Amino acid sequence: AQSVTQLGSHVSVSEGALVLLRCNYSSSVPPYLFWYVQYPNQGLQLLLKYTSAATLVKGINGFEAEFKKSETSFHLTKPSAHMSDAAEYFCAVNSGNTPLVFGKGTRLSVIA
Amino acid sequence: GAVVSQHPSWVICKSGTSVKIECRSLDFQATTMFWYRQFPKQSLMLMATSNEGSKATYEQGVEKDKFLINHASLTLSTLTVTSAHPEDSSFYICSADGSGGASYNEQFFGPGTRLTVL
C-alpha cells in the first residue's frame, strides 16, 4: 500500500519568504509523486510531478520539488512567496498505473 | 487545453431527493473519468473510476446503488446521488484522464460541485 504524509496542516510565510511544504511518502514500489494546488471551491491544478526521470522537478508558478529516495521525501519549495500562492496544497503518490493517494493537504497562508 | 467542467457548481436539495452532477471534458476525449469526494479541510477520497461504455469501478466502502455513475460518451460522465441525506453533503470533484487511454497520471480536475442536503 502507498501513503503520503504532509507535515503541517497549516504553514504561514511572509510575502517574499521561502516556501517549504513537506511531503513524505511510503511505497513498496517505485513511486510517482505529484503536487497539486487547490484554490477555494475549485478543483485541483497540477503543479508538478515526478515520474522517475530527473529528481529535481520544476513546475508552474515557480515551484519545484526534489525527490529524495533515501529520505522518502518530495518536499515542495518556492524561493519567494506571493500573495497569490495562498491555497491548499496536496501531495499525492501512485505507482504509475494505480489510483492517486492524496495526503491530507497543507494550507499555505502568505502574510503581507 | 485539457479543460474539465462540472455542472452544477453548487446545489442545495432536500433530504430524500436525487441529484445529478455532470462532468465534461471540453477539449479532449476521456476514456476514463474519476469521481472524488472531499469533506471540509480534508483530502480527496476516490469514490469510483468511470469507464466509457462500461460499468464504473467503485472503491471499497462506496455504495454503488447510492452513487450511480454513467459514462455514456467520451466527454461526459454523470454522478447521481440517490435519496440524498445530510451526511452526503460534500464537495464532489471529477477528473478526466487526458492521456487518451486509462492513465492515472494525466488527470485533469474539474472545479468541483458543492452539494448541501437539508
Side-chain angles (χ1 to χ4, degrees):
Chain A
Q2 295 177 305
S3 66
V4 168
T5 301
Q6 290 185 241
L7 297 175
S9 59
H10 183 208
V11 171
S12 184
V13 301
S14 298
E15 191 174 19
L18 171 71
V19 175
L20 171 60
L21 304 182
R22 299 178 186 274
C23 172
N24 288 89
Y25 69 90
S26 174
S27 178
S28 59
V29 297
Y32 285 25
L33 293 155
F34 306 78
W35 274 102
Y36 288 89
V37 61
Q38 183 182 34
Y39 297 99
N41 294 310
Q42 294 188 28
L44 273 67
Q45 180 182 9
L46 180 67
L47 282 176
L48 49 81
K49 64 181 178 182
Y50 166 78
T51 56
S52 75
T55 57
L56 181 62
V57 182
K58 294 187 182 298
I60 62 171
N61 301 339
F63 286 94
E64 64 180 37
E66 186 172 8
F67 171 68
K68 291 187 177 181
K69 183 178 179 180
S70 61
E71 299 178 7
T72 61
S73 69
F74 191 58
H75 302 329
L76 181 71
T77 60
K78 181 174 180 177
S80 176
H82 293 164
M83 298 297 290
S84 59
D85 294 327
E88 190 87 17
Y89 292 80
F90 292 95
C91 182
V93 65
N94 76 354
S95 63
N97 61 353
T98 56
L100 292 170
V101 175
F102 288 89
K104 292 188 176 182
T106 298
R107 182 163 61 93
L108 175 66
S109 297
V110 181
I111 303 169
Chain B
V3 178
V4 175
S5 70
Q6 282 185 241
H7 179 79
S9 55
W10 58 271
V11 57
I12 301 173
C13 68
K14 293 182 178 180
S15 184
T17 61
S18 294
V19 175
K20 179 185 284 188
I21 302 170
E22 294 184 347
C23 177
R24 293 182 184 273
S25 56
L26 297 184
D27 49 4
F28 66 100
Q29 294 184 327
T31 304
T32 305
M33 292 184 173
F34 307 89
W35 287 96
Y36 295 85
R37 184 173 182 177
Q38 185 181 29
F39 290 106
K41 300 189 184 301
Q42 294 190 30
S43 189
L44 281 74
M45 297 299 295
L46 180 65
M47 299 175 65
T49 301
S50 168
N51 297 296
E52 187 267 336
S54 64
K55 291 184 178 181
T57 302
Y58 290 82
E59 295 300 302
Q60 191 172 10
V62 177
E63 300 176 60
K64 61 181 180 181
D65 293 331
K66 180 167 187 62
F67 299 100
L68 300 179
I69 292 173
N70 183 279
H71 193 159
S73 79
L74 289 172
T75 59
L76 174 64
S77 175
T78 60
L79 169 68
T80 301
V81 183
T82 62
S83 187
H85 288 95
E87 58 265 30
D88 297 323
S89 298
S90 188
F91 194 51
Y92 292 88
I93 301 175
C94 75
S95 69
D97 165 36
S99 71
S103 169
Y104 294 98
N105 297 339
E106 300 292 338
Q107 293 185 49
F108 298 96
F109 287 81
T113 296
R114 183 160 301 284
L115 170 63
T116 301
V117 184
L118 302 177

